[in-house]
Amino acid sequence: MIMDVVNTIEICQPDDWHLHVRDGDVLPDLIAHTAQQFARAIIMPNLKPPVTTAELALAYKQRILNARPSENSVGSSFEPLMVLYLTDMTTAEHVKNAKQAGVVGFKLYPAGATTNSDAGVTDLAKCSAALAEMERCGMPLLVHGEVTHADIDIFDREAVFIDQVLEPLRKTHPGLKVIFEHITTKQAAHYVRDADTSRLGAIGATITPQHLLYNRNAIFSGGVRPHYYCLPILKREEHRVALVEVAISGNPRFFLGTDSAPHAKGTKENACGCAGCYTAWHAMPLYAEVFDAAGALDRLEGFASYFGADFYGLPRNTGKLKLKRQQQSIPESFPMGGSTVVPLRAGEMLAWTIVG
Ligand code: NCD
Ligand code: ZN
């Protein structure tokens, strides 16, 4: 049998539906990496203090716009999409104001689930008025899907969340549009794939490059590898396989969200290292590697460039992105304000390169 090897792909310009860029002097370095590849990105609101109001989101958006690559260079028209941080104090009025200000969603962090989530929701019942208004005005809820009880094993937190929180939430608010963020288990992949949306609201899911490429062995290969530690934590191989299966399936409920989460080198390589993998610089080559290995490069465009925009009801991009099968090495680190950030798979090779 003769197999054609695809060596170049050109796709509609993609968007990143889950991204952390932090704030202040690190913004120009971080935005430059994302804007090289993506036309738009949803900017996570877990700053300190969190982005909880339309006013704070608009001010943050302006700081990001100011940090974009300069006029006429690649990425100068990058567009940040803002979401607000849901807290116990979020009201229906906050939701109305957010909608009016062009905010695209609210993010649910169960209190204590991850980086800067102390202000997160302690009890969803406290947000019922806000959730009802979101349901009414079609504002999506982006969900960090992990329970936080110390007695639940860290590898089980996502699966338990589905039964204990997500399904009851969708039943209580049957019109609510939900995005199950950075899914990591076969339970989450199958829950989203099989959800009956004629009965309950629409559901989508984002998937990161690290959860498609690695299983939990990567955190412990030859010693503790802090740059492979993120939340939700990498899982067993069977879960990775299930994620690849849904990502390449062409099912529009699954789309790209890197969850690129930069932390300064010293806060990762630490006795109590922060959670987060930095993938903004090489996100599209990493995803291309996954789809290529699965023989599904023809499905990359839907996952990366169409399904997220369609889910959010936003127009698809008109620009293009070209990738070539060309090896390149991943730098050991990048400047990040006055500090440095170590990317995922630092110092090793990438099989794909962005060429335009
Ligand atoms: C994220 C961060 O550092 O902000 N960390 C991570 O491991 N993904 C927070 C998050 O998305 O959970
Ligand atoms: Zn995140």
Side-chain angles (χ1 to χ4, degrees):
M1 185 168 64
I2 301 168
M3 296 278 284
D4 262 333
V5 177
V6 177
N7 287 318
T8 359
I9 47 173
E10 188 179 68
I11 60 171
C12 169
Q13 196 178 10
D15 301 302
D16 185 348
W17 300 97
H18 185 130
L19 176 71
H20 301 265
V21 292
R22 316 307 184 196
D23 203 355
D25 66 347
V26 301
L27 281 176
D29 291 329
L30 300 174
I31 295 294
H33 289 169
T34 289
Q36 289 288 323
Q37 299 156 77
F38 298 101
R40 300 169 289 198
I42 285 195
I43 308 296
M44 285 295 134
N46 62 332
L47 302 182
K48 259 183 182 166
V51 183
T52 50
T53 64
E55 201 178 10
L56 288 169
L58 290 179
Y60 184 29
K61 180 175 184 174
Q62 193 54 53
R63 294 195 294 279
I64 295 168
L65 291 174
N66 296 344
R68 286 187 303 189
S70 54
E71 207 71 33
N72 299 325
S73 44
V74 182
S76 61
S77 55
F78 170 76
E79 191 192 340
L81 302 171
M82 309 312 288
V83 298
L84 295 187
Y85 190 116
L86 189 72
T87 75
D88 290 351
M89 316 298 277
T90 307
T91 62
E93 202 59 27
H94 285 124
V95 177
K96 282 184 192 144
N97 291 340
K99 184 82 183 173
Q100 235 169 22
V103 164
V104 301
F106 274 76
K107 176 73 190 276
L108 164 64
Y109 288 105
T114 186
T115 309
N116 298 344
S117 62
D118 300 348
V121 172
T122 61
D123 178 0
L124 270 170
K126 295 189 175 159
C127 313
S128 60
L131 292 166
E133 178 58 25
M134 291 170 64
E135 224 180 326
R136 200 194 60 76
C137 72
M139 176 75 85
L141 181 68
L142 294 75
V143 173
H144 182 112
E146 289 191 290
V147 293
T148 53
H149 329 136
D151 56 345
I152 307 283
D153 190 282
I154 186 168
F155 294 99
D156 297 335
R157 287 178 188 172
E158 183 174 281
V160 171
F161 182 90
I162 298 171
D163 297 332
Q164 287 192 356
V165 185
L166 186 55
E167 180 67 8
L169 166 70
R170 293 183 64 237
K171 282 189 173 136
T172 311
H173 297 278
L176 192 63
K177 199 169 168 178
V178 169
I179 302 109
F180 198 163
E181 296 287 317
H182 42 51
I183 58 168
T184 64
T185 56
K186 69 173 181 218
Q187 288 89 342
H190 295 170
Y191 177 79
V192 173
R193 183 193 65 190
D194 300 336
D196 174 4
T197 51
S198 63
R199 198 170 49 87
L200 302 178
I203 184 157
T206 56
I207 313 182
T208 78
Q210 67 267 25
H211 293 102
L212 292 168
L213 285 164
Y214 298 105
N215 64 40
R216 64 191 194 176
N217 286 349
I219 315 168
F220 307 106
S221 75
V224 177
R225 306 267 181 175
H227 299 291
Y228 290 81
Y229 170 57
C230 66
L231 289 172
I233 197 159
L234 293 172
K235 305 295 193 300
R236 284 177 181 275
E237 178 64 7
E238 63 182 293
H239 298 290
R240 188 193 70 80
V241 169
L243 295 173
V244 171
E245 202 175 284
V246 293
I248 66 164
S249 68
N251 183 333
R253 290 183 185 177
F254 299 94
F255 44 89
L256 185 158
T258 62
D259 194 20
S260 179
H263 290 275
K265 187 173 192 277
T267 64
K268 291 282 297 174
E269 299 172 9
N270 191 290
C272 186
C274 295
C277 297
Y278 188 65
T279 55
W281 180 77
H282 47 338
M284 284 309 298
L286 290 170
Y287 281 112
E289 190 177 307
V290 173
F291 280 70
D292 189 19
L297 277 173
D298 59 325
R299 299 275 171 85
L300 180 62
E301 187 173 45
F303 176 81
S305 314
Y306 293 156
F307 303 153
D310 297 350
F311 192 90
Y312 278 92
L314 293 167
R316 293 178 177 182
N317 295 317
T318 51
K320 299 277 178 208
L321 186 79
K322 209 168 174 179
L323 292 135
K324 195 171 169 188
R325 188 187 300 281
Q326 180 180 297
Q327 289 227 336
Q328 60 172 325
S329 57
I330 304 171
E332 294 288 352
S333 69
F334 295 103
M336 183 175 74
S339 178
T340 60
V341 59
V342 177
L344 189 77
R345 203 195 277 172
E348 296 176 44
M349 299 306 287
L350 271 179
W352 290 83
T353 298
I354 295 159
V355 289

